[in-house]
Structure formats: structure tokens, C-alpha cells
Amino acid sequence: MSWHLDVEHVAGIRRGSATLEPGLNAVRASNWQGKSSFLAAIATVLGTASPLTEGATEGRVSLSTDDGEYAVELARDGRNVRTTGEPYLSAEADRVCADLFAFLGEENEIRRAVREGDDLEPLLTRPLDFEDIDANIAEARRERDRVDEALSEAEDAADRLPTLAGRVSELEAEVEELEAKRAAADAAGGDETREALSDARAERSRVQSRIDRLESTAERVREQLDAREEELDELDVEDDEELARELDAAKRELNRQERDIELLRGVYDANRRVVAEDRTELLTDVTHGVVDDELACWVCGAETDASSVTERLDDLAERIERRTTAAEASRERVEELTERVESREKRRRRERELQTELRELRERRSDLERRLNDARERDAELAERIDDLREQIESDSEHVTDIESELKYANARLDDAKSELESAESEAEKLESLRSQRRSLTEEITRLRRRKQEIKKETRDAFDDAIREIVPLFETGFESARLTSEFDLVVARDGREASLGALSEGEVELLGLATALAGYQAFDVAERVPVMLVDRLGGIADENLGRLTEYLSGTATYLVMTAYPEHSAVEGNDIDPSEWSVVSDSAAARGAE
């Protein structure tokens, strides 16, 4: 289960090697000894990075596992670095998941987005871009339509089985009776004419059967066509531009309200803190009286007292609450309009699908009508030919001729009936398989439609689970945090929403890790990527590093963390970079000279 890596000219490592063991692997060293560079080398051989050492023209990372050998070569190409070889992760979706949710260095996009307050939704849903959900839905729908057509034919065949079986029994009895009559008859003459008559009758029987099948199929196509036309007529698609304008205006109004609330809260929190901590003397002169303190307003300079300031702050709090209520109403309006836009787009897609289906059904109807006309013309020709042949053999021994003609005709009909029965039985046997296929395709379409929303919900649920574990474990200054439906990160402190800027560096880092781990759980990254990399957690104290190590333990098969020598709480398989050749060694040597 051990992983062995050899590194040449990657990031700050000129040459080095190390072995990873299952569980925690601590890369322990002081600054500039290659800790972060070693994690970059792991990311390189897994296929997500290409940090060629500055000044080097080529670099390489090789990985040896129980399952195989992997290697990635780096080569400088002008200002760019070109990669070749076979990385551990071959699928682009797996590499994206690794880069976002498993490789949690300081430059991890999710950690950085949390620190800088950027939009998290594009990052947390990026792997969905590689699943091509809409194309898969369209393909599944086309396959289900094909199965529906086959299922309709199989159901029709199953319905016809009793009738066909009865027809075969009747024809078998008729053939037996005619054979008995022919055995008793002494026929002579007119053999060729009788044979031609029998052939014409047999062919006409087949043509009439074909006409019946074509008429049945044409009726089903007409019913499908009527149903699609009715659905298309009932489909109501709202005006695109007006609805889009409404949504845009609602979003702008919501943004304005949220900015106003943020501004008012900033004013309120700052002044409330000054009053709550009894530090008004920092801003103005205070005269302490028996009943109340007299002071000058630090904004306008007017004379006032502490009670008046407190009342003004309470008024400001009520104003914030009213604006918050108004903003919530605006947010609900935005969500309503967004749902209408999505619903409109769904109806528009269905409109396009229906138009395509109608075009295909009309083409099929035209083809069936053409084939039906041809069959009817052939039936008329055969009817006329049968009449002519009957007239030819009137002078022959009509009794024998009729028996033989009828017998051949009956045998032909019997063969056709048996063939049709066998075909219907074969089609009917497919019923359960086709129904199972249709159920599977419908379930797949439903799953694909719900995939994006389910991933979003799973991500938020995973974040909630992580926060519930982190808050008591690390004794954070905030009591809760959550991801909203728009993936905004909201933190609560003392029962109120707090800005990320009010949190400590360590608390922000914990939120960044919790957010990345939410994506890790939602996309089942542990099944895709066996390694988790954690680096540069300078804002987290030593005792909390121990708790974090324990919290992450078991998340991935190989957990690799950087640590300083004094980080005694990070315990596991120690990787010592002292034997590596690193860039800082060359710099130190030049300084000594």
C-alpha cells in the first residue's frame, strides 16, 4: 500500500524522494526546505499541476504503487511548461475534483474564495460541467422514445396472441378437411392455372396482412401525432425579454437593499460596541452626572446624553430589522422569478423537442401512407388476377380444382398465420425487458434532471455536518455557519450574522477547509482521489492543528500535511526533507561565497 515518489526539478525541489504510507504523512521541516514543493510534486504526478523549477528546462515526477507505475515529465516551452507522460488521474473530472476538494494548499481556489469573500457556487459545482447533463438527458430521451415504439409494438403483439392462436387452430382444421377431400377426389388437368390461382390467393393474403399491420401502425402514429400537437398547443411559453427584465430588476433591488443593510450594520455595530464597552470617551468628551452622563455627539457635535445615544442606536437597530425584512421579500421575489425563468426554459426545451418529434412523426406518417397506398394497389391487382384465373379454370374439373386451390390457399394462410404467431410471440417476450428498460431510462432522466440540485443540497448538508463538528472541536468564536441556496457563506456570532472580516485568520481557514470538504463529500472525491494534501495553515494554532489532524484522519487513504519541527501535535509517518536537494541550498551556498 506504500507509495514511493521520485522528484526532479519540481517547484523548489531539485532532487528528492519519499515514501507515503496509508494514514497521516507529515512533511516536517523549517521554512524553504521543500515542504510545499513536495505537495506540488504529488499534485503534478496526479495530473493537476506543472511547477517546473525556475531556471530548469526539464523536470520529472514518478510514482510507484502496488497497482502500477506513473510518471509525468515537464519541459519548458518558451514561457509555458509542457507536460507529457501518464498521470495517476486520467479523467479530467477527477483532476478537477482533486484540485478543488482534495489538494487544500494555501492557493486552493475554495480556500482563497472564502478568504476573499468571492462567489463559491461556480467552484462548488464546477465538476458538473464535465458531466454534460443536458446532452445525456437528450440522449436518454431519444433512447426512451425508441423503447416506447418497440414497447408499443410488443404490447400490440401480446394483445393479438389469442386471436392469432385461434386463427392457426382454425386453419389447421381447414387444411385437414381439404386434404381429406383431395384424397377422395380424382382430379385431372388445369394444374398450372390452379397453381397460379393458389399463388395469387396466397400473395393477396400476405398483402392484406401487411395492409392490416400498416393501418394499425398508421393509427398509432396518428394518435401520437395528435397527442404531441395537443401538448404543443397547450404549452405556454412566457415572454423571454420581459421576464428577464423583471429578474434583472429584482436582483438589482436586492443588491441595493443588501448593501444598505451592510452599511447600516457597520454603523450600528461600531457605535453599539463603543456604548456597550463604555468607551465613549474615545470619541468625545464625557461629563459624568448623577443621573446620566452628558456628552457631545461625536458625529454632529450637539450636546446629548448616554440615554439618548442608546435610544438612537435602538432606533437604528429597528431600521435595520425593517430593511432586512424588505430584503427577504426581495430575495423571495428573485427566487420566484428565477424559478419562472428555469420553468420557462424547460418549457422552451420541451417545445423544441415536440417540434422535432412532430416533424419526425409527420415524415413517418407520410411514409406509412405511401406504403399503404402501394399495398392497396397491389391488393386490387391481385383481386383482379384471381378473378381472371377463376374464369380460366371454369372448364376444368371445378371440384378438384377448387379443393386443391383452397388447400394451397389454406396452407399458405396457415404458414402466414404460424409465422405471424411466432413473430408476435417473439415480440411479446420482449415486454418485460422493454418495460424494465423504459423504467431505467425514466429513472436516469429523473436522476440527471435532479443531479445539479441534489449536488447543491448534498454540498450544503455536508458543510452543515462539518460545521457542527468543527464548532465544538475547535471552540470557534462563531456558533454556527451555513451555505445559503445561492452558496453565500453566512456566519452567526452571538445570535447575529457576522461578517467574515470580523473572524480570526484561523477561523476563516477552518471555514475554507469545511467548504472544500463539503465538495469532497458531495462528489465522492475519496472514491476518485486517494490523496488529500493540506498545506500552509499558519493561522491555526498548534493545539488546533492536532485537532484538525484528528478530524481529517481517515478522510483519504493518504493524508499529507506540512508541519514545522515544533508542531508536535501533527503525528504520523514523518517525511524528512533534509536529504533532498532544494533551491534554497543553492541560494545559501551562493550567500556563503
Side-chain angles (χ1 to χ4, degrees):
M1 291 291 289
S2 299
W3 278 19
H4 183 79
L5 291 97
D6 289 308
V7 184
E8 294 180 14
H9 296 296
V10 173
I13 301 176
R14 295 194 184 278
R15 185 169 285 101
S17 61
T19 298
L20 300 182
E21 300 293 348
L24 173 62
N25 295 265
V27 189
R28 194 181 303 278
S30 300
N31 288 332
W32 308 300
Q33 299 302 305
K35 299 190 302 297
S36 298
S37 296
F38 180 67
L39 268 61
I42 296 174
T44 298
V45 78
L46 266 73
T48 70
S50 55
L52 182 62
T53 301
E54 184 175 357
T57 57
E58 295 180 345
R60 187 176 192 272
V61 184
S62 62
L63 168 63
S64 177
T65 73
D66 292 347
D67 299 326
E69 303 288 332
Y70 306 89
V72 172
E73 290 81 25
L74 309 178
R76 198 170 299 283
D77 185 5
R79 295 184 177 180
N80 300 318
V81 174
R82 178 169 39 86
T83 63
T84 55
E86 182 183 358
Y88 184 90
L89 300 176
S90 57
E92 182 64 18
D94 292 347
R95 291 197 289 268
V96 169
C97 284
D99 203 36
L100 287 170
F101 309 125
F103 297 169
L104 307 180
E106 186 179 35
E107 294 306 314
N108 175 268
E109 289 185 77
I110 293 177
R111 284 183 60 186
R112 186 171 63 247
V114 171
R115 284 196 302 268
E116 297 176 2
D118 292 339
D119 188 5
L120 291 170
E121 182 173 2
L123 299 175
L124 291 172
T125 60
R126 184 182 295 170
L128 293 175
D129 296 341
F130 295 87
E131 296 186 17
D132 202 3
I133 292 175
D134 291 338
N136 290 337
I137 290 175
E139 177 61 28
R141 287 181 62 85
R142 286 193 293 272
E143 179 63 16
R144 189 175 66 177
D145 289 343
R146 185 194 65 77
V147 171
D148 281 342
E149 183 176 347
L151 183 60
S152 176
E153 293 176 357
E155 289 172 342
D156 181 62
D159 291 341
R160 290 188 292 116
L161 281 178
T163 302
L164 292 173
R167 184 181 177 192
V168 168
S169 297
E170 291 174 359
L171 288 171
E172 286 175 341
E174 183 179 347
V175 167
E176 288 179 3
E177 183 181 352
L178 289 170
E179 285 177 342
K181 288 181 179 180
R182 187 182 62 180
D186 183 18
D191 293 338
E192 292 181 359
T193 304
R194 288 192 297 272
E195 185 174 353
L197 178 60
S198 297
D199 289 341
R201 283 174 169 173
E203 184 180 356
R204 189 184 182 196
S205 176
R206 289 191 291 271
V207 169
Q208 288 176 337
S209 295
R210 186 163 67 251
I211 289 172
D212 291 341
R213 289 195 297 272
L214 287 171
E215 287 177 341
S216 177
T217 302
E219 180 60 25
R220 287 200 305 273
V221 170
R222 281 192 293 270
E223 291 173 355
Q224 293 174 4
L225 189 59
D226 292 341
R228 299 299 189 278
E229 288 175 342
E230 182 178 354
E231 183 179 353
L232 184 60
D233 290 339
E234 294 175 355
L235 200 60
D236 181 23
V237 180
E238 298 181 69
D239 179 67
D240 289 10
E241 296 182 357
E242 181 61 27
L243 190 57
R245 284 195 296 271
E246 285 187 48
L247 177 57
D248 186 56
K251 285 181 176 179
R252 287 199 302 272
E253 176 60 18
L254 177 58
N255 289 335
R256 183 191 65 77
Q257 291 173 334
E258 289 177 339
R259 287 195 302 273
D260 290 345
I261 291 169
E262 182 180 3
L263 180 60
L264 288 173
R265 280 180 176 164
V267 173
Y268 174 83
D269 290 342
N271 285 279
R272 172 59 73 181
R273 184 176 176 185
V274 168
V275 172
E277 295 181 9
D278 197 20
R279 299 301 303 276
T280 53
E281 69 273 14
L282 293 174
L283 302 175
T284 186
D285 294 331
V286 179
T287 301
H288 298 286
V290 175
V291 178
D292 202 353
D293 294 340
E294 300 293 328
L295 51 91
C297 175
W298 51 84
V299 176
C300 67
E303 291 297 322
T304 184
D305 53 51
S307 298
S308 298
V309 171
T310 301
E311 290 175 358
R312 292 298 297 160
L313 286 174
D314 291 341
D315 291 342
L316 183 56
E318 291 177 0
R319 180 171 298 186
I320 292 172
E321 183 65 26
R322 290 195 298 272
R323 288 180 176 268
T324 301
T325 301
E328 185 60 32
S330 296
R331 188 174 294 105
E332 291 175 357
R333 176 60 176 166
V334 168
E335 291 174 353
E336 176 195 350
L337 289 172
T338 301
E339 290 176 358
R340 287 177 58 189
V341 168
E342 292 175 350
S343 175
R344 180 206 64 210
E345 183 57 30
K346 179 179 178 182
R347 293 195 298 273
R348 187 166 295 284
R349 286 197 301 271
R350 181 56 181 160
E351 181 182 57
R352 291 193 293 268
E353 291 171 357
L354 287 171
Q355 289 171 346
T356 300
E357 291 176 14
L358 284 171
R359 183 172 62 255
E360 293 173 351
L361 286 169
R362 287 173 181 134
E363 291 174 356
R364 190 177 179 201
R365 180 183 63 183
S366 298
D367 179 64
L368 286 170
E369 289 174 350
R370 178 187 58 76
R371 291 163 60 191
L372 191 56
N373 288 335
D374 292 343
R376 285 169 177 162
E377 290 175 2
R378 181 57 179 163
D379 181 60
E381 292 172 359
L382 288 169
E384 184 177 353
R385 175 167 171 72
I386 288 171
D387 290 339
D388 293 339
L389 289 171
R390 280 176 176 167
E391 291 176 3
Q392 279 185 323
I393 62 175
E394 283 180 354
S395 59
D396 298 330
S397 177
E398 294 186 4
H399 180 63
V400 174
T401 300
D402 288 343
I403 292 175
E404 290 183 348
S405 298
E406 290 176 10
L407 180 59
K408 191 169 185 178
Y409 175 50
N411 276 319
R413 287 187 295 155
L414 177 60
D415 290 342
D416 289 344
K418 286 181 177 179
S419 177
E420 189 173 357
L421 177 60
E422 290 175 0
S423 177
E425 288 173 340
S426 177
E427 287 294 319
E429 288 174 358
K430 301 175 184 177
L431 267 175
E432 287 306 316
S433 174
L434 289 169
R435 286 169 179 162
S436 177
Q437 288 181 49
R438 194 186 191 286
R439 284 193 299 269
S440 298
L441 287 166
T442 299
E443 291 171 358
E444 176 66 7
I445 291 169
T446 302
R447 185 192 69 80
L448 288 169
R449 285 173 175 166
R450 296 176 178 171
R451 172 69 171 156
K452 186 171 292 187
Q453 292 304 318
E454 287 176 348
I455 281 293
K456 289 183 177 181
K457 183 179 183 303
E458 289 173 13
T459 302
R460 293 195 298 271
D461 291 345
F463 180 84
D464 291 342
D465 292 342
I467 289 299
R468 278 194 293 270
E469 295 173 359
I470 284 174
V471 168
L473 183 63
F474 294 94
E475 299 179 354
T476 60
F478 57 89
E479 63 257 20
S480 67
R482 65 184 177 87
L483 287 173
T484 68
S485 59
E486 289 82 22
F487 281 79
D488 294 326
L489 184 56
V490 178
V491 179
R493 170 180 281 171
D494 298 329
R496 294 179 178 273
E497 181 178 334
S499 86
L500 292 180
L503 303 182
S504 68
E505 180 183 355
E507 289 172 333
V508 173
E509 291 297 344
L510 284 175
L511 286 174
L513 289 173
T515 306
L517 290 174
Y520 187 94
Q521 294 297 328
F523 285 97
D524 298 323
V525 180
E527 298 178 8
R528 305 167 179 252
V529 186
V531 180
M532 178 174 285
L533 309 178
V534 183
D535 185 26
R536 295 184 181 177
L537 300 174
I540 299 179
D542 185 42
E543 63 272 14
N544 282 335
L545 278 178
R547 296 189 182 99
L548 178 62
T549 301
E550 182 180 355
Y551 176 73
L552 294 177
S553 177
T555 304
T557 304
Y558 302 90
L559 174 60
V560 186
M561 297 181 66
T562 59
Y564 291 105
E566 61 270 20
H567 286 163
S568 59
V570 182
E571 296 181 350
N573 173 46
D574 269 15
I575 297 174
D576 184 5
S578 60
E579 297 298 321
W580 299 348
S581 173
V582 297
V583 172
S584 59
D585 293 339
S586 301
R590 288 195 300 272
E593 292 174 359

